[in-house]
């Protein structure tokens, strides 16, 4: 618009110049009282002044554009961004409303329930391009807790420093975003890994993400635990290495997206009768099937007392609409009860296969429907998934550290789910989980296997 105005001004000025020149040459010199027409030099001077004014207007508009923030509204959330992108504020959220319906729970009935599993407002901010803040509380399960409170400093593509509270880099499925899980609850291998902890971490993705490394120091938490502090002076180191041989820097996702990795942790834990530092394990239906002995006395309570180590090989493969993940996690912990000590090793493995029946690409970031749901226009995407996994508790835990009539030694899980992904923000999940046990119950005074758990899980999810 400004360029057109400048061209029009120049054209008008030239026409005036021509007209005045012709008029000056064709007419008789005016009377002495009539002002003389501008000369060609004067008109050219006026044109230069107008052009300079237009240049100043252009510069002012460009300078204003540099300082005018833009708003962000879309499937990824809401927010604002400075004109140069150095400062950003994004507001996101996650809501998951679940239903749990137990089948065949004749021996020990469990109440069917509807619940808000996760309710999380998420605040993400960027400062000076390289510093990122993330805050995420959770009000699900009838609790209020701060899950993520971290600050990242992106020094370079191969080095990012992080401090605060965040996920510990161990489990493959444990590190996946909750919104993208094909099952309502995580599986056996995830139960043997810590969840979130307070600490510091360094990570990087050299060679365009073909390699990824992470190492950090944390307070140290028991399996499946999210912690806010520490009850002893002991600390834990955790790390993970990933190799993605087919990833191409700066290009579209590879046709074959393969990830091979291994994670570890090592440290010490010293529990007390009030905070034992030992885990308990739950089923997909959120029922506790294993816990250590605890009666609040030193003689009757098992506690963590020494070295804790974990190792977790893991892999994922995504090809078109297919996705396959596999991982195994082993957790060792020196354990004491009174004067008796033992090193107990618990492990869990799981394999999950997912297939997008409507043909969209499956990835670790879920599925983006080709035709989002709209009456008469699109049906969304349908993803089907199956999973098998086993969690095994060290046989040495029984009977001294755990009661075999109350805690099962092994839990074997099979699950199948259907995900109707309406669009990038809304999803419905129907999930059937069956878990059989070795031990964990009694009839009279005789130890028997715990009743097989069959549970139908439903979920309505909205995320942005």
């Amino acid at each position: 618009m400004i360029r057109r105005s400048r061209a029009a001004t120049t054209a008008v000025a030239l026409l005036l110049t021509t007209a005045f020149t012709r008029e000056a040459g064709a007419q008789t010199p005016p009377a002495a009282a009539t002002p003389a027409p501008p000369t060609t030099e004067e008109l050219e001077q006026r044109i230069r002044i107008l052009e300079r004014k237009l240049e100043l207007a252009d510069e002012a508009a460009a300078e204003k554009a540099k300082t005018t923030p833009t708003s962000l509204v879309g499937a990824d959330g809401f927010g604002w961004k400075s004109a140069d992108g150095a400062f950003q504020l994004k507001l996101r959220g996650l809501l998951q409303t679940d239903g749990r319906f137990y089948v065949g729970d004749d021996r020990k009935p469990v109440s069917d329930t509807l619940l808000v599993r996760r309710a999380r407002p998420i605040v993400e901010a960027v400062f000076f391009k390289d510093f990122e803040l993330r805050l995420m509380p959770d009000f699900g399960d009838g609790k209020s807790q701060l899950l993520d409170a971290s600050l990242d400093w992106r020094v370079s593509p191969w080095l990012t420093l992080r401090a605060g509270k965040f996920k510990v880099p161990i489990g493959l499925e444990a590190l996946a975003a909750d919104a993208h899980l094909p099952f309502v609850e995580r599986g056996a291998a995830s139960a043997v890994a810590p969840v979130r902890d307070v600490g510091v971490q360094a990570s990087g993705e050299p060679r365009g993400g073909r390699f990824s490394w992470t190492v950090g120091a944390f307070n140290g938490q028991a399996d499946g635990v999210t912690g806010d502090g520490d009850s002893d002076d002991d600390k834990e180191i955790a790390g993970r290495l990933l190799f993605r041989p087919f990833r191409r820097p700066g290009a579209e996702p590879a046709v074959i997206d393969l990830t091979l990795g291994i994670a570890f942790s090592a440290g010490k834990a010293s529990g007390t009768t009030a905070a034992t530092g030992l885990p308990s394990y739950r089923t997909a239906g959120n029922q506790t099937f294993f816990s250590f002995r605890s009666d609040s006395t030193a003689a009757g309570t098992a506690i963590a007392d020494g070295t804790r180590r974990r190792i977790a090989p893991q892999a994922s493969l995504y090809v078109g609409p297919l996705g396959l993940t596999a991982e195994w996690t082993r957790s060792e912990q020196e354990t004491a009860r009174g004067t008796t000590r033992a090193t107990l090793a618990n492990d869990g493995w799981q394999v999950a296969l997912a297939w997008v029946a409507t043909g969209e690409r499956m990835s670790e970031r879920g599925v983006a429907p080709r035709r989002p749901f709209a009456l008469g226009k699109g049906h969304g995407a349908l993803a089907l998934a199956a999973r098998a996994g086993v969690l095994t508790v060290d046989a040495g835990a029984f009977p001294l550290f755990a009661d075999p009539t109350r805690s099962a030694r092994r839990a074997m899980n099979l699950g199948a789910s259907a995900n109707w992904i309406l669009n990038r923000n809304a999803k419905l999940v129907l999930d059937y989980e069956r878990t059989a046990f070795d031990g964990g119950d009694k009839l009279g005074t005789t130890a028997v296997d715990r009743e097989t758990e069959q549970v139908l899980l439903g979920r309505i999810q909205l995320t942005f």
Side-chain angles (χ1 to χ4, degrees), residues 121-447:
I122 305 170
V123 178
E124 295 174 335
V126 176
F127 304 91
F128 296 98
K129 285 188 177 179
D130 298 326
F131 297 89
E132 297 184 11
L133 171 73
R134 176 180 168 87
L135 296 174
M136 185 178 73
D138 184 26
F139 305 105
D141 269 344
K143 299 178 291 187
S144 298
Q145 55 181 335
L146 181 62
L147 292 184
D148 285 344
S150 62
L151 175 64
D152 286 7
W153 179 15
R154 297 189 180 280
V155 181
S156 73
W158 49 269
L159 178 61
T160 297
L161 304 177
R162 173 174 293 179
K165 182 180 179 183
F166 48 90
K167 286 187 175 181
V168 182
I170 298 290
L172 177 66
E173 185 192 46
L175 287 165
D178 298 302
H180 300 319
L181 296 176
F183 299 93
V184 171
E185 299 294 343
R186 289 180 167 85
S190 298
V192 190
V195 185
R196 286 179 168 87
D197 202 357
V198 179
V200 294
Q201 174 181 287
S203 64
E205 293 190 343
R207 299 182 63 82
R210 188 168 294 178
F211 295 94
S212 173
W213 62 273
T214 306
V215 63
F218 302 88
N219 282 328
Q221 303 296 336
D223 303 344
V225 171
T226 289
D228 287 301
D230 206 349
S231 59
D232 58 45
D233 294 335
D234 301 319
K235 296 293 175 283
E236 194 167 85
I237 294 174
R240 187 167 82 141
L241 296 173
L242 297 179
F243 176 48
R244 303 181 179 95
F246 301 110
R247 180 157 295 188
R248 294 169 296 178
E252 292 294 322
V255 175
I256 300 176
D257 187 5
L258 173 65
T259 300
L260 304 172
I262 188 166
F264 70 95
S265 70
K268 290 186 176 181
S270 301
T272 65
T273 55
T276 65
L278 295 175
S280 60
Y281 299 121
R282 291 175 173 266
T283 65
N286 207 36
Q287 302 301 304
T288 301
F289 70 88
F290 174 86
S291 60
F292 285 91
R293 291 184 183 273
S294 178
D295 63 2
S296 300
T297 67
T301 301
I303 62 171
D305 188 23
T307 300
R308 177 166 55 209
R309 290 188 292 261
R310 297 185 184 91
I311 187 77
Q314 50 202 249
S316 67
L317 174 65
Y318 297 97
V319 182
L322 292 174
L324 176 67
T325 60
E327 59 182 315
W328 175 78
T329 304
R330 180 183 180 88
S331 176
E332 295 181 1
Q333 172 67 65
E334 289 186 312
T335 306
R337 179 185 172 194
T339 58
T340 304
R341 299 171 57 86
T343 298
L344 304 178
N346 307 327
D347 63 74
W349 64 264
Q350 64 189 63
V351 177
L353 176 65
W355 171 57
V356 186
T358 46
E360 286 86 347
R361 181 182 177 84
M362 171 65 77
S363 75
E364 61 186 8
R365 296 182 58 81
V367 178
R370 218 165 12 229
R371 299 176 59 194
F373 177 79
L375 287 176
K377 298 180 180 178
H379 47 58
L382 176 64
L384 307 176
R387 177 177 65 187
V390 175
L391 193 157
T392 303
V393 178
D394 195 313
F398 303 95
L400 182 64
F401 300 101
D403 184 349
T405 64
R406 298 172 60 89
S407 294
R409 180 171 180 266
R410 182 178 291 111
M412 297 150 284
N413 169 252
L414 294 173
S417 72
N419 292 245
W420 182 17
I421 305 151
L422 303 177
N423 49 53
R424 288 181 57 190
N425 301 104
K427 181 171 78 170
L428 307 178
V429 183
L430 188 62
D431 182 359
Y432 171 74
E433 300 286 340
R434 182 183 188 278
T435 306
F437 305 92
D438 284 348
D441 204 352
K442 64 179 179 180
L443 287 177
T445 59
T446 304

Side-chain angles (χ1 to χ4, degrees), residues 42-121:
E42 290 174 335
L43 288 173
E44 289 177 348
Q45 177 65 20
R46 293 178 183 179
I47 291 172
R48 286 194 290 272
I49 292 173
L50 288 174
E51 287 181 341
R52 180 54 184 159
K53 287 182 177 179
L54 290 173
E55 289 177 357
L56 293 174
D58 288 347
E59 293 173 0
E63 194 64 29
K64 184 177 181 181
K66 290 181 181 178
T67 59
T68 301
T70 57
S71 59
L72 307 170
V73 180
D76 293 330
F78 307 89
W80 299 267
K81 181 173 70 173
S82 64
D84 61 358
F87 298 87
Q88 297 183 36
L89 176 64
K90 291 185 68 175
L91 303 178
R92 302 174 53 222
L94 171 66
L95 176 65
Q96 293 176 337
T97 300
D98 291 4
R100 295 173 183 158
F101 305 94
Y102 299 87
V103 181
D105 51 336
D106 302 322
R107 196 190 304 170
K108 291 185 177 180
V110 182
S111 298
D112 299 337
T113 185
L114 302 174
L115 72 155
V116 176
R117 180 66 176 85
R118 296 181 176 92
R120 300 175 179 175

